[in-house]
Amino acid sequence: MRNLVGIVAIALGLLACDSRAKASDPVKPERQSKELESCGATADCEGELHCFDQTCRRMSRSAVGDYYAALGATARAKGDFEAAVDAFNNALGQYDAEKIKLPPEIDCAYGSTLAAARAKMEFAERAAKALHRCVLAVPVASTLRTRAMMDLALLADNGLDPLALGKNGLADVYLTKGPGKPSTDKVNYTVVGTPALPAKIQAGLTAKLDETKAQLVACWQTYTDTSKKDTLTVTLNAKGVYVESDYEGEGGFAIKVDPSPGLAGPDAGADACVRPLVEAALKAAPRDGYNSKLVITIK
């Protein structure tokens, strides 16, 4: 994990001293350093930037926005990515409310945090845009740019199109290549019954579904391709109902699965793919009486 203390220090501008000493030969305006570029004195920096710790930095900051950025960095260090993203969102909102231009180092830390929470595709897309803003805003040879590129590389499995980063401006969408496909052994499924299935039926159902795992994964792959989601969930109601026979002692349990609900789009396709596999596994498992709502999750 990166040195988050260093990230916070950058984001909050924990600076040492303002090098205001004037050079004997003033720097020509066209050669003055831009924000976050190196300097020896404030005279080396363009516009209203000041030289702190040999780096040109702005003086206009939001104390509240910087607090939220620090809160986000702290939450990320604890592994609470949801809270970290929320805090950085507050930081960006505060800077916007005060009409102060967002410091690029905060945007870089925001993108890095979103990339760390990339398991959510929504966060992954936002990470790509924030990190691209970071790359465009910071010096080419800076540590911030190098770190942003490393974070962008983490988004390859989320479908990041690297050509989107070659533009001088921001792209509308970044994750256009589709998520990388994990191997079959990395895709898992669960079947949870409410109320729980009798133990022997749960064991038999799981054993039969294990035999058709490749088919379950194929259902998942089709679903993720069309829905752009990484988790497939199918719900069905199943019953083990005792059926009497005309012949004494020949009755037994029959398996009944309720019809598929009215679904549309990728969800309908997922239901049509997974439901027959589960129903067949139930019929092959030991029989007993039950009435349960089964939730099948594949991810």
Side-chain angles (χ1 to χ4, degrees), residues 33 55 99 130 188 212 295:
S33 296
T55 302
K99 301 188 184 307
N188 294 301
T212 61
V295 178

Side-chain angles (χ1 to χ4, degrees), residues 87-200:
F88 274 110
N89 283 336
N90 288 334
L92 270 62
Q94 187 64 37
Y95 266 93
D96 185 62
E98 295 183 31
K99 301 188 184 307
I100 300 175
K101 184 179 179 182
L102 183 69
E105 61 268 25
I106 290 184
D107 215 11
C108 295
Y110 174 56
S112 179
T113 300
L114 285 166
R118 63 191 178 279
K120 274 193 173 183
M121 289 299 289
E122 174 194 353
F123 285 171
E125 182 65 48
R126 286 160 58 188
K129 179 163 286 189
L131 290 168
H132 193 196
R133 286 198 304 264
C134 171
V135 168
L136 294 173
V138 302
V140 173
S142 67
T143 301
L144 285 172
R145 187 179 188 278
T146 300
R147 180 177 296 139
M149 284 297 183
M150 295 296 290
D151 286 324
L152 283 164
L154 295 175
L155 302 176
D157 288 341
N158 295 84
L160 175 66
D161 182 359
L163 295 180
L165 305 175
K167 302 177 181 179
N168 291 327
L170 298 176
D172 293 329
V173 182
Y174 290 84
L175 307 183
T176 58
K177 297 187 69 175
K181 300 300 182 187
S183 60
T184 299
D185 61 345
K186 292 184 179 180
V187 178
N188 294 301
Y189 75 90
T190 59
V191 181
V192 178
T194 306
L197 292 170
K200 64 179 181 179

Side-chain angles (χ1 to χ4, degrees), residues 20-76:
R20 296 175 183 273
K22 304 297 181 181
S24 57
D25 295 320
V27 179
K28 294 181 180 181
E30 64 271 17
R31 298 185 60 186
Q32 287 180 311
S33 296
K34 301 181 184 299
E35 185 174 11
L36 298 180
E37 292 182 340
S38 62
C39 58
T42 292
D44 298 337
C45 301
E46 69 176 10
E48 297 182 355
L49 299 175
H50 287 242
C51 187
F52 290 94
D53 285 350
Q54 291 75 54
T55 302
C56 292
R57 299 184 184 273
R58 69 179 68 183
M59 295 295 292
S60 179
R61 305 280 301 206
S62 164
V64 177
D66 288 348
Y67 163 78
Y68 279 123
L71 190 65
T74 301
R76 179 183 173 180

Side-chain angles (χ1 to χ4, degrees), residues 238-255:
K239 302 175 183 178
V241 180
Y242 189 82
V243 178
E244 296 285 354
S245 172
D246 291 337
Y247 300 95
E248 185 177 352
E250 294 187 8
F253 287 97
I255 306 303

